[in-house]
Amino acid sequence: MKRIGLLSDTHSCWDDRYEKYFKDCDEIWHAGDIGSYGIAQRLNEIAFLRAVSGNCDGADIRRVYGEIYRFKVEDAEICMKHIGGTPGHYDSSIRLQLSMSTPNLFVCGHSHILKVQYDTTLGMLYMNPGAAGLQGWQKVRTLVRFTIDGSKFRDLDVIELENDGKHTHILDV
């Protein structure tokens, strides 16, 4: 069983609450637009960091973190890419890969819109954690935490940073 902290679109913004809410996680995943390598280093000090580069990331981030990251945690296959689209409307840069080799979970960022949905067409879970940074139009900055148990995803909590860390438990799949 692994506890995961998930965020995206920090755009060089550090918030001490990242550590507060992710300190008990086994891994932290960043779905791109990290903004500075220093943010990645600080997250990696909290827990093992897995990340992808985003369209706003510079060469320092792109040298370390690729555009697409496929990996396995427990018995779950994960695919992460910054610009991914949404179920039924995946970005052309990932659509074929998802349909040819469907993971259990597809994680993306970019839209700054929090969305967790089961894609019944492909038979996978889709997660976009929204935006954790200050840049962008989002009214509420969000983080996500969840547990991977074998190939199951459970105990998913959404944390709203603007609302004093209000937690919303939304998923057991």
Side-chain angles (χ1 to χ4, degrees), residues 115-132:
K115 186 177 187 93
V116 177
Q117 178 181 339
Y118 189 76
D119 181 335
T120 56
T121 301
L122 292 180
M124 69 176 184
L125 186 60
Y126 166 92
M127 282 188 205
N128 183 323

Side-chain angles (χ1 to χ4, degrees), residues 152-163:
K152 304 278 187 204
F153 305 96
R154 59 183 185 80
D155 303 326
L156 188 139
D157 295 311
V158 172
I159 299 151
E160 296 180 351
L161 295 175
E162 267 67 29
N163 295 316

Side-chain angles (χ1 to χ4, degrees), residues 24-164:
D24 295 326
C25 292
D26 299 298
E27 296 186 6
I28 297 172
W29 301 352
H30 196 304
D33 279 357
I34 300 165
S36 73
Y37 191 69
I39 296 290
Q41 289 175 312
R42 289 182 80 176
L43 290 169
N44 198 50
E45 290 171 5
I46 300 167
F48 176 71
L49 177 67
R50 296 180 189 265
V52 292
S53 59
N55 59 302
C56 293
D57 286 320
D60 59 337
I61 302 276
R62 291 175 190 275
R63 271 191 295 276
V64 178
Y65 303 107
E67 184 179 343
I68 298 172
Y69 187 11
R70 288 190 80 114
F71 56 98
K72 191 172 185 175
V73 174
E74 294 275 303
D75 297 324
E77 295 286 338
I78 318 299
C79 180
M80 188 164 44
K81 183 180 188 304
H82 181 62
I83 299 176
T86 59
H89 305 282
Y90 293 111
D91 189 77
S92 60
S93 64
I94 195 70
R95 187 180 310 126
L96 182 60
Q97 188 177 134
L98 292 175
S99 63
M100 296 288 287
S101 178
T102 305
N104 300 97
L105 172 62
F106 177 57
V107 174
C108 65
H110 185 64
S111 70
H112 292 221
I113 299 170
L114 170 72
K115 186 177 187 93
V116 177
Q117 178 181 339
Y118 189 76
D119 181 335
T120 56
T121 301
L122 292 180
M124 69 176 184
L125 186 60
Y126 166 92
M127 282 188 205
N128 183 323
L134 297 171
Q135 182 178 326
W137 55 269
Q138 73 279 354
K139 289 183 169 71
V140 178
R141 296 165 47 222
T142 52
L143 307 173
V144 172
R145 290 185 306 207
F146 62 98
T147 300
I148 302 176
D149 187 358
S151 62
K152 304 278 187 204
F153 305 96
R154 59 183 185 80
D155 303 326
L156 188 139
D157 295 311
V158 172
I159 299 151
E160 296 180 351
L161 295 175
E162 267 67 29
N163 295 316
D164 296 322

